Amino acid sequence: MTDYSILPALVDERLSGGRVRIDLDALKSNWKKLAGMTPTSKTAAVVKADGYGLGVEQVVSALTEAGCETFFVALPEEGVRVKKQAPSAQVFVLEGLFKNAVATYAEADLTPVLGSIENIELWASFWHERGSRRPCAIHVDTGMNRLGLRVEEAKEFVLDDSRRNSVTPILVMSHPACSDELNHPKNAEQVAAFNEVRSLFPGVDASFANSAGIIGHKDFIFDLSRPGIALYGGEAIENFANPMKPVVTLEGRIIQIRRASAGETIGYAATHTFTRETKIALVAVGYADGYLRSNSGFDMRTKGTAPAKGPVGYLCGREVPIIGRVSMDITALDVTDIPEQELEKAEWVELFGNNIALDDAARAAGTIGYELLTGLGARYSRTYISSDKRD
Ligand SMILES: *Cc1c(COP(=O)(O)O)cnc(C)c1O
């Protein structure tokens, strides 16, 4: 059950320019589906960045009900929030130990993912001084050059008994760089390196797979998998049918329908010139809400090739193109083809959700679903849908 006492106040839908619907039943069903795809591996959930923008308390609460007991966050601040919501869960902090915050990891019972010798020494000495020990995870970099010991460093570390025995790792992990491309040669290289690393830590659980790993790479599956984006309905692998249920719907409020004549322009920089008598829907969502400016309609002045499918909204059963520039608080759509009687009743335009896939909306803006979700603005009202009536 979500602990609402620790949540920021939700925005009243009557006062908001956009509304987000978050289907917690779909989220739970996606977690169970991913867990079912890898029955020999335990399935965690990555809930960094406020649960990919959906609200970490609600996400953790729903996933706990679905059976998830292990969470990954990026930052200690996020870990503290997850622990408040799910006190008995194991919470790993991917970005390791922050120097002046070690006591907070201890108090909140967070498990740091140690990705450098300095981090390992910091954790070891903190507990040595207290005559105690706590588990940690060890991150090894197998080819991404982000966080993690180099493979040679990991080997040196395990050969040095006093260092190896100074900490109690319960997980050894690495992260794939190219899992969203099924045939990228780096995938096999990294798995080979990870198999070597894993053998240095006998008896310690191993973890390599993210969402794409679970869905598309059998050889990425070890003891624990770490899905993120697929839980939230996003596409994990490019050009691969998305097997997940959509979780998030974003709709913008229509604040005005106006008419313009052929030859007039719309919006900043007058990038779009009307070629016919046009009905325009003005929607109260803009780049200040994370609805990216790159969602602007094709700029006719650049005279380049229009993208195959530009940014669109969905209204009264059809797609309606975004026209002109997305501004801070307003986005315009061409709704000329919607019959007048239907348009009169319309109040909200879908920007992504059940009719426009999150990742199609992202592609139209030149980005990925992850960025649209984690950028969902603070001005939206939010509704959480759950068949669980106990709340
Ligand atoms: C974000 C992240 C994940 C989750 O990745 P998805 O592609 O969202 O499934 C897993 N592991 C690490 C280390 C991450 O940073």
PDB file of all heavy atoms in Angstrom, residues 34 37-38 41 175-182 187 191 208-222 224-230 235-237 240 370:
ATOM      1  N   LEU A  34       8.145 -10.305 -17.228  1.00  0.00           N
ATOM      2  CA  LEU A  34       9.605 -10.364 -17.331  1.00  0.00           C
ATOM      3  C   LEU A  34      10.157 -11.449 -16.404  1.00  0.00           C
ATOM      4  O   LEU A  34      11.056 -12.200 -16.767  1.00  0.00           O
ATOM      5  CB  LEU A  34      10.219  -9.008 -16.978  1.00  0.00           C
ATOM      6  CG  LEU A  34       9.944  -7.896 -18.008  1.00  0.00           C
ATOM      7  CD1 LEU A  34      10.247  -6.529 -17.407  1.00  0.00           C
ATOM      8  CD2 LEU A  34      10.741  -8.100 -19.286  1.00  0.00           C
ATOM      9  N   MET A  37       9.740 -14.744 -17.965  1.00  0.00           N
ATOM     10  CA  MET A  37      10.622 -15.022 -19.112  1.00  0.00           C
ATOM     11  C   MET A  37      11.951 -15.616 -18.658  1.00  0.00           C
ATOM     12  O   MET A  37      12.669 -16.205 -19.454  1.00  0.00           O
ATOM     13  CB  MET A  37      10.935 -13.719 -19.857  1.00  0.00           C
ATOM     14  CG  MET A  37       9.816 -13.208 -20.717  1.00  0.00           C
ATOM     15  SD  MET A  37      10.376 -11.620 -21.449  1.00  0.00           S
ATOM     16  CE  MET A  37       8.877 -11.156 -22.306  1.00  0.00           C
ATOM     17  N   THR A  38      12.307 -15.391 -17.402  1.00  0.00           N
ATOM     18  CA  THR A  38      13.610 -15.854 -16.895  1.00  0.00           C
ATOM     19  C   THR A  38      13.402 -16.604 -15.581  1.00  0.00           C
ATOM     20  O   THR A  38      13.806 -16.148 -14.516  1.00  0.00           O
ATOM     21  CB  THR A  38      14.546 -14.656 -16.652  1.00  0.00           C
ATOM     22  OG1 THR A  38      13.863 -13.694 -15.824  1.00  0.00           O
ATOM     23  CG2 THR A  38      14.945 -13.980 -17.941  1.00  0.00           C
ATOM     24  N   SER A  41      16.177 -17.107 -12.979  1.00  0.00           N
ATOM     25  CA  SER A  41      16.872 -15.945 -12.447  1.00  0.00           C
ATOM     26  C   SER A  41      15.902 -15.152 -11.591  1.00  0.00           C
ATOM     27  O   SER A  41      14.706 -15.104 -11.859  1.00  0.00           O
ATOM     28  CB  SER A  41      17.340 -15.116 -13.649  1.00  0.00           C
ATOM     29  OG  SER A  41      17.687 -13.818 -13.273  1.00  0.00           O
ATOM     30  N   HIS A 175      27.257  -4.072 -16.780  1.00  0.00           N
ATOM     31  CA  HIS A 175      26.146  -3.498 -17.550  1.00  0.00           C
ATOM     32  C   HIS A 175      26.472  -3.502 -19.041  1.00  0.00           C
ATOM     33  O   HIS A 175      27.560  -3.093 -19.441  1.00  0.00           O
ATOM     34  CB  HIS A 175      25.903  -2.062 -17.065  1.00  0.00           C
ATOM     35  CG  HIS A 175      24.622  -1.468 -17.562  1.00  0.00           C
ATOM     36  ND1 HIS A 175      23.395  -2.078 -17.382  1.00  0.00           N
ATOM     37  CD2 HIS A 175      24.372  -0.324 -18.227  1.00  0.00           C
ATOM     38  CE1 HIS A 175      22.452  -1.314 -17.923  1.00  0.00           C
ATOM     39  NE2 HIS A 175      23.009  -0.254 -18.442  1.00  0.00           N
ATOM     40  N   PRO A 176      25.522  -3.973 -19.859  1.00  0.00           N
ATOM     41  CA  PRO A 176      25.781  -4.045 -21.303  1.00  0.00           C
ATOM     42  C   PRO A 176      25.616  -2.685 -21.994  1.00  0.00           C
ATOM     43  O   PRO A 176      24.708  -1.928 -21.660  1.00  0.00           O
ATOM     44  CB  PRO A 176      24.729  -5.036 -21.797  1.00  0.00           C
ATOM     45  CG  PRO A 176      23.593  -4.886 -20.833  1.00  0.00           C
ATOM     46  CD  PRO A 176      24.186  -4.501 -19.502  1.00  0.00           C
ATOM     47  N   ALA A 177      26.476  -2.425 -22.955  1.00  0.00           N
ATOM     48  CA  ALA A 177      26.447  -1.130 -23.658  1.00  0.00           C
ATOM     49  C   ALA A 177      25.496  -1.140 -24.852  1.00  0.00           C
ATOM     50  O   ALA A 177      24.944  -0.099 -25.213  1.00  0.00           O
ATOM     51  CB  ALA A 177      27.853  -0.768 -24.130  1.00  0.00           C
ATOM     52  N   CYS A 178      25.307  -2.298 -25.477  1.00  0.00           N
ATOM     53  CA  CYS A 178      24.634  -2.334 -26.786  1.00  0.00           C
ATOM     54  C   CYS A 178      23.481  -3.334 -26.831  1.00  0.00           C
ATOM     55  O   CYS A 178      23.159  -3.866 -27.890  1.00  0.00           O
ATOM     56  CB  CYS A 178      25.652  -2.695 -27.868  1.00  0.00           C
ATOM     57  SG  CYS A 178      27.050  -1.562 -27.911  1.00  0.00           S
ATOM     58  N   SER A 179      22.856  -3.578 -25.680  1.00  0.00           N
ATOM     59  CA  SER A 179      21.833  -4.624 -25.627  1.00  0.00           C
ATOM     60  C   SER A 179      20.611  -4.291 -26.482  1.00  0.00           C
ATOM     61  O   SER A 179      19.868  -5.193 -26.866  1.00  0.00           O
ATOM     62  CB  SER A 179      21.406  -4.855 -24.180  1.00  0.00           C
ATOM     63  OG  SER A 179      20.954  -3.643 -23.605  1.00  0.00           O
ATOM     64  N   ASP A 180      20.392  -3.007 -26.798  1.00  0.00           N
ATOM     65  CA  ASP A 180      19.223  -2.672 -27.621  1.00  0.00           C
ATOM     66  C   ASP A 180      19.435  -3.010 -29.091  1.00  0.00           C
ATOM     67  O   ASP A 180      18.523  -2.901 -29.891  1.00  0.00           O
ATOM     68  CB  ASP A 180      18.840  -1.193 -27.451  1.00  0.00           C
ATOM     69  CG  ASP A 180      19.986  -0.254 -27.805  1.00  0.00           C
ATOM     70  OD1 ASP A 180      21.157  -0.672 -27.707  1.00  0.00           O
ATOM     71  OD2 ASP A 180      19.709   0.885 -28.199  1.00  0.00           O
ATOM     72  N   GLU A 181      20.650  -3.450 -29.444  1.00  0.00           N
ATOM     73  CA  GLU A 181      20.908  -3.933 -30.803  1.00  0.00           C
ATOM     74  C   GLU A 181      21.266  -5.406 -30.701  1.00  0.00           C
ATOM     75  O   GLU A 181      22.318  -5.768 -30.181  1.00  0.00           O
ATOM     76  CB  GLU A 181      22.085  -3.186 -31.429  1.00  0.00           C
ATOM     77  CG  GLU A 181      21.782  -1.750 -31.776  1.00  0.00           C
ATOM     78  CD  GLU A 181      23.021  -1.075 -32.358  1.00  0.00           C
ATOM     79  OE1 GLU A 181      23.559  -1.557 -33.373  1.00  0.00           O
ATOM     80  OE2 GLU A 181      23.457  -0.079 -31.763  1.00  0.00           O
ATOM     81  N   LEU A 182      20.359  -6.269 -31.214  1.00  0.00           N
ATOM     82  CA  LEU A 182      20.527  -7.701 -30.971  1.00  0.00           C
ATOM     83  C   LEU A 182      21.833  -8.250 -31.518  1.00  0.00           C
ATOM     84  O   LEU A 182      22.435  -9.143 -30.924  1.00  0.00           O
ATOM     85  CB  LEU A 182      19.348  -8.472 -31.581  1.00  0.00           C
ATOM     86  CG  LEU A 182      18.034  -8.355 -30.803  1.00  0.00           C
ATOM     87  CD1 LEU A 182      16.948  -9.164 -31.478  1.00  0.00           C
ATOM     88  CD2 LEU A 182      18.218  -8.801 -29.356  1.00  0.00           C
ATOM     89  N   ASN A 187      28.046  -7.200 -27.624  1.00  0.00           N
ATOM     90  CA  ASN A 187      27.275  -8.006 -26.675  1.00  0.00           C
ATOM     91  C   ASN A 187      28.038  -9.274 -26.295  1.00  0.00           C
ATOM     92  O   ASN A 187      28.217  -9.561 -25.111  1.00  0.00           O
ATOM     93  CB  ASN A 187      25.909  -8.360 -27.276  1.00  0.00           C
ATOM     94  CG  ASN A 187      24.993  -7.143 -27.368  1.00  0.00           C
ATOM     95  OD1 ASN A 187      24.961  -6.324 -26.454  1.00  0.00           O
ATOM     96  ND2 ASN A 187      24.273  -7.013 -28.463  1.00  0.00           N
ATOM     97  N   VAL A 191      29.698 -10.309 -22.588  1.00  0.00           N
ATOM     98  CA  VAL A 191      29.262 -11.508 -21.856  1.00  0.00           C
ATOM     99  C   VAL A 191      30.450 -12.404 -21.563  1.00  0.00           C
ATOM    100  O   VAL A 191      30.575 -12.951 -20.460  1.00  0.00           O
ATOM    101  CB  VAL A 191      28.189 -12.294 -22.641  1.00  0.00           C
ATOM    102  CG1 VAL A 191      27.896 -13.615 -21.949  1.00  0.00           C
ATOM    103  CG2 VAL A 191      26.916 -11.501 -22.730  1.00  0.00           C
ATOM    104  N   PHE A 208      23.704  -9.308 -14.953  1.00  0.00           N
ATOM    105  CA  PHE A 208      24.152  -8.615 -16.163  1.00  0.00           C
ATOM    106  C   PHE A 208      22.984  -8.013 -16.969  1.00  0.00           C
ATOM    107  O   PHE A 208      23.133  -6.959 -17.575  1.00  0.00           O
ATOM    108  CB  PHE A 208      24.951  -9.593 -17.042  1.00  0.00           C
ATOM    109  CG  PHE A 208      25.663  -8.955 -18.197  1.00  0.00           C
ATOM    110  CD1 PHE A 208      26.764  -8.143 -17.987  1.00  0.00           C
ATOM    111  CD2 PHE A 208      25.231  -9.165 -19.500  1.00  0.00           C
ATOM    112  CE1 PHE A 208      27.431  -7.540 -19.054  1.00  0.00           C
ATOM    113  CE2 PHE A 208      25.898  -8.568 -20.579  1.00  0.00           C
ATOM    114  CZ  PHE A 208      26.994  -7.755 -20.356  1.00  0.00           C
ATOM    115  N   ALA A 209      21.818  -8.667 -16.941  1.00  0.00           N
ATOM    116  CA  ALA A 209      20.745  -8.287 -17.872  1.00  0.00           C
ATOM    117  C   ALA A 209      19.943  -7.078 -17.417  1.00  0.00           C
ATOM    118  O   ALA A 209      19.513  -6.989 -16.274  1.00  0.00           O
ATOM    119  CB  ALA A 209      19.784  -9.458 -18.070  1.00  0.00           C
ATOM    120  N   ASN A 210      19.714  -6.148 -18.336  1.00  0.00           N
ATOM    121  CA  ASN A 210      18.706  -5.095 -18.201  1.00  0.00           C
ATOM    122  C   ASN A 210      17.452  -5.577 -18.951  1.00  0.00           C
ATOM    123  O   ASN A 210      17.334  -6.770 -19.256  1.00  0.00           O
ATOM    124  CB  ASN A 210      19.266  -3.778 -18.769  1.00  0.00           C
ATOM    125  CG  ASN A 210      19.719  -3.938 -20.221  1.00  0.00           C
ATOM    126  OD1 ASN A 210      19.661  -5.040 -20.791  1.00  0.00           O
ATOM    127  ND2 ASN A 210      20.168  -2.865 -20.826  1.00  0.00           N
ATOM    128  N   SER A 211      16.532  -4.688 -19.274  1.00  0.00           N
ATOM    129  CA  SER A 211      15.306  -5.112 -19.971  1.00  0.00           C
ATOM    130  C   SER A 211      15.620  -5.826 -21.285  1.00  0.00           C
ATOM    131  O   SER A 211      15.091  -6.899 -21.573  1.00  0.00           O
ATOM    132  CB  SER A 211      14.423  -3.902 -20.301  1.00  0.00           C
ATOM    133  OG  SER A 211      14.053  -3.208 -19.148  1.00  0.00           O
ATOM    134  N   ALA A 212      16.477  -5.201 -22.086  1.00  0.00           N
ATOM    135  CA  ALA A 212      16.792  -5.779 -23.405  1.00  0.00           C
ATOM    136  C   ALA A 212      17.434  -7.152 -23.244  1.00  0.00           C
ATOM    137  O   ALA A 212      17.202  -8.056 -24.054  1.00  0.00           O
ATOM    138  CB  ALA A 212      17.720  -4.842 -24.171  1.00  0.00           C
ATOM    139  N   GLY A 213      18.233  -7.304 -22.192  1.00  0.00           N
ATOM    140  CA  GLY A 213      18.869  -8.592 -21.929  1.00  0.00           C
ATOM    141  C   GLY A 213      17.829  -9.675 -21.682  1.00  0.00           C
ATOM    142  O   GLY A 213      17.918 -10.783 -22.214  1.00  0.00           O
ATOM    143  N   ILE A 214      16.819  -9.358 -20.876  1.00  0.00           N
ATOM    144  CA  ILE A 214      15.781 -10.343 -20.562  1.00  0.00           C
ATOM    145  C   ILE A 214      15.004 -10.710 -21.823  1.00  0.00           C
ATOM    146  O   ILE A 214      14.745 -11.878 -22.098  1.00  0.00           O
ATOM    147  CB  ILE A 214      14.799  -9.776 -19.507  1.00  0.00           C
ATOM    148  CG1 ILE A 214      15.542  -9.508 -18.197  1.00  0.00           C
ATOM    149  CG2 ILE A 214      13.636 -10.737 -19.284  1.00  0.00           C
ATOM    150  CD1 ILE A 214      14.684  -8.837 -17.134  1.00  0.00           C
ATOM    151  N   ILE A 215      14.664  -9.695 -22.612  1.00  0.00           N
ATOM    152  CA  ILE A 215      13.785  -9.935 -23.759  1.00  0.00           C
ATOM    153  C   ILE A 215      14.529 -10.556 -24.941  1.00  0.00           C
ATOM    154  O   ILE A 215      13.990 -11.409 -25.636  1.00  0.00           O
ATOM    155  CB  ILE A 215      13.097  -8.607 -24.182  1.00  0.00           C
ATOM    156  CG1 ILE A 215      12.174  -8.134 -23.048  1.00  0.00           C
ATOM    157  CG2 ILE A 215      12.321  -8.758 -25.476  1.00  0.00           C
ATOM    158  CD1 ILE A 215      11.662  -6.718 -23.210  1.00  0.00           C
ATOM    159  N   GLY A 216      15.802 -10.182 -25.106  1.00  0.00           N
ATOM    160  CA  GLY A 216      16.448 -10.598 -26.346  1.00  0.00           C
ATOM    161  C   GLY A 216      17.780 -11.329 -26.263  1.00  0.00           C
ATOM    162  O   GLY A 216      18.309 -11.729 -27.304  1.00  0.00           O
ATOM    163  N   HIS A 217      18.338 -11.510 -25.072  1.00  0.00           N
ATOM    164  CA  HIS A 217      19.683 -12.122 -25.002  1.00  0.00           C
ATOM    165  C   HIS A 217      19.703 -13.192 -23.908  1.00  0.00           C
ATOM    166  O   HIS A 217      19.958 -12.890 -22.741  1.00  0.00           O
ATOM    167  CB  HIS A 217      20.735 -11.070 -24.661  1.00  0.00           C
ATOM    168  CG  HIS A 217      20.800  -9.890 -25.578  1.00  0.00           C
ATOM    169  ND1 HIS A 217      21.648  -9.832 -26.670  1.00  0.00           N
ATOM    170  CD2 HIS A 217      20.137  -8.701 -25.569  1.00  0.00           C
ATOM    171  CE1 HIS A 217      21.506  -8.656 -27.280  1.00  0.00           C
ATOM    172  NE2 HIS A 217      20.594  -7.952 -26.634  1.00  0.00           N
ATOM    173  N   LYS A 218      19.487 -14.449 -24.297  1.00  0.00           N
ATOM    174  CA  LYS A 218      19.472 -15.536 -23.289  1.00  0.00           C
ATOM    175  C   LYS A 218      20.787 -15.615 -22.511  1.00  0.00           C
ATOM    176  O   LYS A 218      20.799 -15.937 -21.324  1.00  0.00           O
ATOM    177  CB  LYS A 218      19.241 -16.875 -23.990  1.00  0.00           C
ATOM    178  CG  LYS A 218      17.814 -17.086 -24.440  1.00  0.00           C
ATOM    179  CD  LYS A 218      17.531 -18.581 -24.627  1.00  0.00           C
ATOM    180  CE  LYS A 218      16.046 -18.857 -24.801  1.00  0.00           C
ATOM    181  NZ  LYS A 218      15.408 -17.963 -25.795  1.00  0.00           N
ATOM    182  N   ASP A 219      21.901 -15.294 -23.195  1.00  0.00           N
ATOM    183  CA  ASP A 219      23.205 -15.438 -22.528  1.00  0.00           C
ATOM    184  C   ASP A 219      23.499 -14.306 -21.544  1.00  0.00           C
ATOM    185  O   ASP A 219      24.532 -14.303 -20.892  1.00  0.00           O
ATOM    186  CB  ASP A 219      24.338 -15.555 -23.563  1.00  0.00           C
ATOM    187  CG  ASP A 219      24.345 -14.403 -24.562  1.00  0.00           C
ATOM    188  OD1 ASP A 219      23.349 -13.656 -24.636  1.00  0.00           O
ATOM    189  OD2 ASP A 219      25.359 -14.232 -25.271  1.00  0.00           O
ATOM    190  N   PHE A 220      22.577 -13.349 -21.415  1.00  0.00           N
ATOM    191  CA  PHE A 220      22.746 -12.277 -20.414  1.00  0.00           C
ATOM    192  C   PHE A 220      22.147 -12.666 -19.058  1.00  0.00           C
ATOM    193  O   PHE A 220      22.236 -11.915 -18.097  1.00  0.00           O
ATOM    194  CB  PHE A 220      22.031 -10.993 -20.856  1.00  0.00           C
ATOM    195  CG  PHE A 220      22.734 -10.175 -21.918  1.00  0.00           C
ATOM    196  CD1 PHE A 220      23.720 -10.717 -22.721  1.00  0.00           C
ATOM    197  CD2 PHE A 220      22.381  -8.842 -22.106  1.00  0.00           C
ATOM    198  CE1 PHE A 220      24.339  -9.949 -23.703  1.00  0.00           C
ATOM    199  CE2 PHE A 220      22.999  -8.063 -23.078  1.00  0.00           C
ATOM    200  CZ  PHE A 220      23.985  -8.623 -23.882  1.00  0.00           C
ATOM    201  N   ILE A 221      21.469 -13.815 -19.014  1.00  0.00           N
ATOM    202  CA  ILE A 221      20.719 -14.162 -17.800  1.00  0.00           C
ATOM    203  C   ILE A 221      21.610 -14.908 -16.819  1.00  0.00           C
ATOM    204  O   ILE A 221      22.121 -15.989 -17.122  1.00  0.00           O
ATOM    205  CB  ILE A 221      19.486 -15.034 -18.157  1.00  0.00           C
ATOM    206  CG1 ILE A 221      18.633 -14.349 -19.227  1.00  0.00           C
ATOM    207  CG2 ILE A 221      18.655 -15.327 -16.909  1.00  0.00           C
ATOM    208  CD1 ILE A 221      18.186 -12.940 -18.897  1.00  0.00           C
ATOM    209  N   PHE A 222      21.810 -14.328 -15.640  1.00  0.00           N
ATOM    210  CA  PHE A 222      22.577 -14.986 -14.573  1.00  0.00           C
ATOM    211  C   PHE A 222      21.651 -15.154 -13.372  1.00  0.00           C
ATOM    212  O   PHE A 222      20.525 -15.601 -13.543  1.00  0.00           O
ATOM    213  CB  PHE A 222      23.845 -14.185 -14.270  1.00  0.00           C
ATOM    214  CG  PHE A 222      24.822 -14.214 -15.425  1.00  0.00           C
ATOM    215  CD1 PHE A 222      24.775 -13.267 -16.447  1.00  0.00           C
ATOM    216  CD2 PHE A 222      25.774 -15.226 -15.521  1.00  0.00           C
ATOM    217  CE1 PHE A 222      25.659 -13.304 -17.519  1.00  0.00           C
ATOM    218  CE2 PHE A 222      26.670 -15.278 -16.598  1.00  0.00           C
ATOM    219  CZ  PHE A 222      26.608 -14.308 -17.589  1.00  0.00           C
ATOM    220  N   LEU A 224      20.463 -12.743 -11.174  1.00  0.00           N
ATOM    221  CA  LEU A 224      19.547 -11.637 -10.901  1.00  0.00           C
ATOM    222  C   LEU A 224      19.470 -10.750 -12.141  1.00  0.00           C
ATOM    223  O   LEU A 224      20.508 -10.404 -12.707  1.00  0.00           O
ATOM    224  CB  LEU A 224      20.077 -10.826  -9.706  1.00  0.00           C
ATOM    225  CG  LEU A 224      19.252  -9.612  -9.282  1.00  0.00           C
ATOM    226  CD1 LEU A 224      17.955 -10.058  -8.605  1.00  0.00           C
ATOM    227  CD2 LEU A 224      20.047  -8.712  -8.327  1.00  0.00           C
ATOM    228  N   SER A 225      18.258 -10.379 -12.558  1.00  0.00           N
ATOM    229  CA  SER A 225      18.111  -9.476 -13.711  1.00  0.00           C
ATOM    230  C   SER A 225      17.584  -8.128 -13.235  1.00  0.00           C
ATOM    231  O   SER A 225      16.923  -8.034 -12.208  1.00  0.00           O
ATOM    232  CB  SER A 225      17.174 -10.095 -14.744  1.00  0.00           C
ATOM    233  OG  SER A 225      17.732 -11.319 -15.200  1.00  0.00           O
ATOM    234  N   ARG A 226      17.920  -7.083 -14.016  1.00  0.00           N
ATOM    235  CA  ARG A 226      17.637  -5.701 -13.573  1.00  0.00           C
ATOM    236  C   ARG A 226      16.845  -4.928 -14.624  1.00  0.00           C
ATOM    237  O   ARG A 226      17.354  -3.989 -15.235  1.00  0.00           O
ATOM    238  CB  ARG A 226      18.962  -4.943 -13.330  1.00  0.00           C
ATOM    239  CG  ARG A 226      20.004  -5.661 -12.500  1.00  0.00           C
ATOM    240  CD  ARG A 226      21.203  -4.746 -12.248  1.00  0.00           C
ATOM    241  NE  ARG A 226      21.804  -4.225 -13.468  1.00  0.00           N
ATOM    242  CZ  ARG A 226      22.800  -4.798 -14.138  1.00  0.00           C
ATOM    243  NH1 ARG A 226      23.339  -5.932 -13.714  1.00  0.00           N
ATOM    244  NH2 ARG A 226      23.266  -4.238 -15.237  1.00  0.00           N
ATOM    245  N   PRO A 227      15.580  -5.280 -14.839  1.00  0.00           N
ATOM    246  CA  PRO A 227      14.817  -4.534 -15.855  1.00  0.00           C
ATOM    247  C   PRO A 227      14.400  -3.156 -15.362  1.00  0.00           C
ATOM    248  O   PRO A 227      14.097  -2.971 -14.186  1.00  0.00           O
ATOM    249  CB  PRO A 227      13.584  -5.412 -16.066  1.00  0.00           C
ATOM    250  CG  PRO A 227      13.382  -6.089 -14.750  1.00  0.00           C
ATOM    251  CD  PRO A 227      14.772  -6.319 -14.198  1.00  0.00           C
ATOM    252  N   GLY A 228      14.389  -2.215 -16.280  1.00  0.00           N
ATOM    253  CA  GLY A 228      13.871  -0.876 -16.013  1.00  0.00           C
ATOM    254  C   GLY A 228      12.786  -0.555 -17.026  1.00  0.00           C
ATOM    255  O   GLY A 228      11.603  -0.830 -16.815  1.00  0.00           O
ATOM    256  N   ILE A 229      13.195  -0.046 -18.173  1.00  0.00           N
ATOM    257  CA  ILE A 229      12.260   0.540 -19.143  1.00  0.00           C
ATOM    258  C   ILE A 229      11.092  -0.385 -19.517  1.00  0.00           C
ATOM    259  O   ILE A 229       9.970   0.085 -19.685  1.00  0.00           O
ATOM    260  CB  ILE A 229      13.024   0.999 -20.432  1.00  0.00           C
ATOM    261  CG1 ILE A 229      12.147   1.874 -21.315  1.00  0.00           C
ATOM    262  CG2 ILE A 229      13.585  -0.180 -21.222  1.00  0.00           C
ATOM    263  CD1 ILE A 229      11.795   3.208 -20.738  1.00  0.00           C
ATOM    264  N   ALA A 230      11.347  -1.686 -19.623  1.00  0.00           N
ATOM    265  CA  ALA A 230      10.264  -2.592 -20.047  1.00  0.00           C
ATOM    266  C   ALA A 230       9.141  -2.650 -19.014  1.00  0.00           C
ATOM    267  O   ALA A 230       7.967  -2.826 -19.364  1.00  0.00           O
ATOM    268  CB  ALA A 230      10.821  -3.993 -20.318  1.00  0.00           C
ATOM    269  N   GLU A 235      10.037   0.436 -25.050  1.00  0.00           N
ATOM    270  CA  GLU A 235      10.658  -0.502 -25.983  1.00  0.00           C
ATOM    271  C   GLU A 235      12.112  -0.713 -25.561  1.00  0.00           C
ATOM    272  O   GLU A 235      12.856   0.251 -25.431  1.00  0.00           O
ATOM    273  CB  GLU A 235      10.607   0.185 -27.347  1.00  0.00           C
ATOM    274  CG  GLU A 235      10.781  -0.656 -28.535  1.00  0.00           C
ATOM    275  CD  GLU A 235      10.619   0.223 -29.790  1.00  0.00           C
ATOM    276  OE1 GLU A 235       9.472   0.539 -30.159  1.00  0.00           O
ATOM    277  OE2 GLU A 235      11.640   0.593 -30.371  1.00  0.00           O
ATOM    278  N   ALA A 236      12.517  -1.965 -25.370  1.00  0.00           N
ATOM    279  CA  ALA A 236      13.881  -2.223 -24.914  1.00  0.00           C
ATOM    280  C   ALA A 236      14.832  -2.461 -26.076  1.00  0.00           C
ATOM    281  O   ALA A 236      16.020  -2.190 -25.984  1.00  0.00           O
ATOM    282  CB  ALA A 236      13.900  -3.431 -23.971  1.00  0.00           C
ATOM    283  N   ILE A 237      14.311  -2.998 -27.168  1.00  0.00           N
ATOM    284  CA  ILE A 237      15.166  -3.384 -28.298  1.00  0.00           C
ATOM    285  C   ILE A 237      14.633  -2.724 -29.564  1.00  0.00           C
ATOM    286  O   ILE A 237      13.433  -2.766 -29.837  1.00  0.00           O
ATOM    287  CB  ILE A 237      15.180  -4.919 -28.466  1.00  0.00           C
ATOM    288  CG1 ILE A 237      15.624  -5.576 -27.154  1.00  0.00           C
ATOM    289  CG2 ILE A 237      16.092  -5.334 -29.618  1.00  0.00           C
ATOM    290  CD1 ILE A 237      15.634  -7.079 -27.184  1.00  0.00           C
ATOM    291  N   PHE A 240      12.090  -4.352 -32.776  1.00  0.00           N
ATOM    292  CA  PHE A 240      11.705  -5.632 -32.182  1.00  0.00           C
ATOM    293  C   PHE A 240      10.340  -5.382 -31.555  1.00  0.00           C
ATOM    294  O   PHE A 240      10.186  -4.421 -30.799  1.00  0.00           O
ATOM    295  CB  PHE A 240      12.748  -5.986 -31.108  1.00  0.00           C
ATOM    296  CG  PHE A 240      12.758  -7.413 -30.661  1.00  0.00           C
ATOM    297  CD1 PHE A 240      13.428  -8.373 -31.392  1.00  0.00           C
ATOM    298  CD2 PHE A 240      12.117  -7.792 -29.481  1.00  0.00           C
ATOM    299  CE1 PHE A 240      13.470  -9.695 -30.958  1.00  0.00           C
ATOM    300  CE2 PHE A 240      12.146  -9.101 -29.047  1.00  0.00           C
ATOM    301  CZ  PHE A 240      12.822 -10.057 -29.788  1.00  0.00           C
ATOM    302  N   TYR A 370      12.785   6.501 -22.657  1.00  0.00           N
ATOM    303  CA  TYR A 370      13.341   6.782 -21.333  1.00  0.00           C
ATOM    304  C   TYR A 370      13.307   8.291 -21.047  1.00  0.00           C
ATOM    305  O   TYR A 370      12.998   8.722 -19.945  1.00  0.00           O
ATOM    306  CB  TYR A 370      14.815   6.381 -21.251  1.00  0.00           C
ATOM    307  CG  TYR A 370      15.202   4.942 -21.468  1.00  0.00           C
ATOM    308  CD1 TYR A 370      15.147   4.352 -22.724  1.00  0.00           C
ATOM    309  CD2 TYR A 370      15.699   4.178 -20.420  1.00  0.00           C
ATOM    310  CE1 TYR A 370      15.569   3.045 -22.926  1.00  0.00           C
ATOM    311  CE2 TYR A 370      16.128   2.865 -20.622  1.00  0.00           C
ATOM    312  CZ  TYR A 370      16.052   2.306 -21.877  1.00  0.00           C
ATOM    313  OH  TYR A 370      16.469   1.020 -22.070  1.00  0.00           O
TER     314      TYR A 370
END
